[in-house]
Amino acid sequence: MSIFSSKAEFDLERHLQNVVGRCCEELPEKKKSTLLGRVISDEGNKRYARRHFPFGSGLYIAEKDGNKIYEQHDLSRFPDWKSNKDFPGNEAYPLDSKEHREGVKKIEDLIEKFTANDSNVAKDLKKLLENSEIHYRVLSKWEKPNGSCSFKRAKQKDAKNQIVICICDLNKTGDEVLPEILAHELGHALEFSQRPKGAETKYMDGCETAADILGASLLVNAGVNSKGFSKFMGQDYRDKKTKKLDTKMFYSPDGKYRRTNFILAYKYMYKARKNNSKSLETENRNKITEKKNIVEQIKAHRGLASKKTTADKPQSVSAENSKNFGRVPNYNDGGR
């Protein structure tokens, strides 16, 4: 049975652009269009899926040239988060291990930073966390920077979504890769959570680019500047290129494209936030200065310009203030 009876029921490209567009609220339209264009551009999307949708009684799959539609459960079946071994091709550290505790503490510290602002992406993440049970596992066999996100939508109205996020062993890969990896995986969770019920198909790899941009937005708005994971992606691409190996990545654009996703999105969003902050500072500074000038003029008008003011001894007023305000009243004669 088909997941959707027609393309109109779920347009993945429009959905991805809507989700990503919310995190671009401060961007100029041209920069926003550039990032949204990367989500569905041929450069990042053509290798695995090009606007294919399920029709009729089956799932349309075009395997020629690597084009394929993957269902979400094909990519990562939802694991038993309490199990130490229920992760395909990997092994999780025990829940009571030092590696697990340290990894989870670092994750939770970052999530606290990611949600401590009023950006759209932070609001969406807060809402997701409030309506989800989220668990983390540290995988011992991932010796290169990597992460994964498994999402299970709540079946009942009063139930919560289930999320399991896995990260690599930071003792082997280094802490500096965690912010981008975690932000990217949370980007997947955000994107999955905003799909309509039943929209389980994951088109590769526009979703990966969307998660990169969402992740960059989480980092920028949290003031977390990390290039560890994107640096690795670029180096991995260059190493493969030098060795004349295939640079394509399963389910995802190559490392060069992924690195640019992070760097470009971060650059645009950081600059936009900085410019907007400067505008607000200038506006507030002008308001404060204007208010201060008015207060001082009123004090002068009332004969209270000096710190040594006493109730029965009005202070002198400058000629300039006298000219601006006309006759300065004498409070001793009733202000006539």
Side-chain angles (χ1 to χ4, degrees):
M1 181 177 178
S2 174
I3 300 173
F4 312 105
S5 59
S6 71
K7 175 177 176 177
E9 291 186 28
F10 180 63
D11 187 324
L12 180 84
E13 292 182 357
R14 180 174 296 178
H15 159 76
L16 290 176
Q17 290 198 324
N18 287 339
V19 174
V20 173
R22 267 186 58 78
C23 78
C24 300
E25 69 264 35
E26 293 185 321
L27 288 183
E29 197 59 37
K30 187 175 181 179
K31 304 293 187 185
K32 180 178 178 180
S33 296
T34 298
L35 292 184
L36 294 182
R38 291 186 70 83
V39 175
I40 59 172
S41 71
D42 282 347
E43 185 178 357
N45 218 33
K46 67 184 179 182
R47 296 188 179 115
Y48 300 108
R50 292 190 64 177
R51 306 186 184 189
H52 297 307
F53 293 82
F55 290 98
S57 59
L59 188 67
Y60 175 77
I61 297 178
E63 304 230 8
K64 185 178 180 181
D65 298 326
N67 292 333
K68 184 179 179 181
I69 294 176
Y70 296 95
E71 291 187 65
Q72 192 173 316
H73 62 75
D74 289 335
L75 297 175
S76 56
R77 63 188 179 85
F78 196 82
D80 176 4
W81 69 271
K82 295 180 181 180
S83 168
N84 292 341
K85 296 184 178 181
D86 196 16
F87 300 92
N90 284 286
E91 185 172 337
Y93 283 111
L95 295 173
D96 59 353
S97 68
K98 178 183 177 182
E99 291 84 357
H100 174 79
R101 291 195 304 270
E102 290 179 347
V104 171
K105 176 64 168 60
K106 290 170 182 175
I107 288 173
E108 290 176 341
D109 287 347
L110 277 170
I111 287 183
E112 188 174 344
K113 291 181 180 179
F114 290 161
T115 56
N117 61 81
D118 61 355
S119 64
N120 284 341
V121 71
K123 291 175 183 176
D124 290 346
L125 181 57
K126 289 176 188 175
K127 183 178 179 181
L128 174 65
L129 295 177
E130 288 170 358
N131 294 285
S132 304
E133 290 182 9
I134 186 166
H135 303 283
Y136 313 103
R137 296 308 302 263
V138 180
L139 303 189
S140 61
K141 291 186 179 180
W142 271 349
E143 297 187 355
K144 290 185 177 181
N146 205 349
S148 70
C149 174
S150 299
F151 180 86
K152 183 191 291 184
R153 186 179 301 282
K155 293 183 179 180
Q156 299 177 349
K157 189 175 181 180
D158 56 346
K160 290 194 172 186
N161 302 316
Q162 300 291 318
I163 302 171
V164 173
I165 288 181
C166 298
I167 63 166
C168 52
D169 183 349
L170 297 173
N171 291 322
K172 297 176 181 177
T173 61
D175 292 357
E176 68 276 4
V177 302
L178 177 60
E180 282 176 296
I181 289 177
L182 178 61
H184 171 87
E185 301 307 336
L186 289 171
H188 275 312
L190 284 168
E191 189 264 298
F192 289 148
S193 70
Q194 294 179 51
R195 292 190 184 194
K197 187 176 181 180
E200 303 297 333
T201 300
K202 182 174 181 180
Y203 289 59
M204 300 311 293
D205 51 17
C207 302
E208 294 297 320
T209 301
D212 287 343
I213 298 172
L214 289 168
S217 180
L218 283 171
L219 293 166
V220 170
N221 286 288
V224 178
N225 184 4
S226 174
K227 298 181 180 179
F229 183 56
S230 59
K231 184 178 179 181
F232 162 77
M233 299 291 278
Q235 185 62 48
D236 182 66
Y237 170 82
R238 288 190 293 273
D239 289 345
K240 289 179 179 177
K241 195 84 171 175
T242 300
K243 296 176 183 177
K244 297 183 179 181
L245 300 175
D246 188 352
T247 60
K248 296 178 183 177
M249 299 176 69
F250 197 46
Y251 296 151
S252 179
D254 61 37
K256 181 181 179 182
Y257 191 83
R258 296 285 306 280
R259 181 174 183 270
T260 305
N261 287 340
F262 276 110
I263 293 176
L264 198 63
Y266 194 100
K267 176 183 175 182
Y268 285 172
M269 293 177 184
Y270 177 81
K271 187 174 181 179
R273 190 184 67 165
K274 189 175 180 180
N275 289 341
N276 289 341
S277 296
K278 283 184 177 179
S279 297
L280 288 173
E281 286 175 6
T282 302
E283 182 181 345
N284 290 335
R285 192 185 306 119
N286 290 339
K287 287 181 179 179
I288 291 171
T289 302
E290 182 182 353
K291 183 178 179 181
K292 182 178 179 181
N293 288 339
I294 291 173
V295 170
E296 293 301 322
Q297 289 179 48
I298 290 174
K299 284 183 178 180
H301 175 59
R302 293 177 178 173
L304 303 173
S306 171
K307 293 181 180 179
K308 297 179 180 179
T309 297
T310 60
D312 59 350
K313 187 179 180 181
Q315 305 300 307
S316 61
V317 179
S318 69
E320 182 65 23
N321 280 324
S322 297
K323 183 173 68 175
N324 289 341
F325 286 95
R327 175 178 176 272
V328 179
N330 185 333
Y331 288 96
N332 289 336
D333 66 2
R336 293 188 299 275

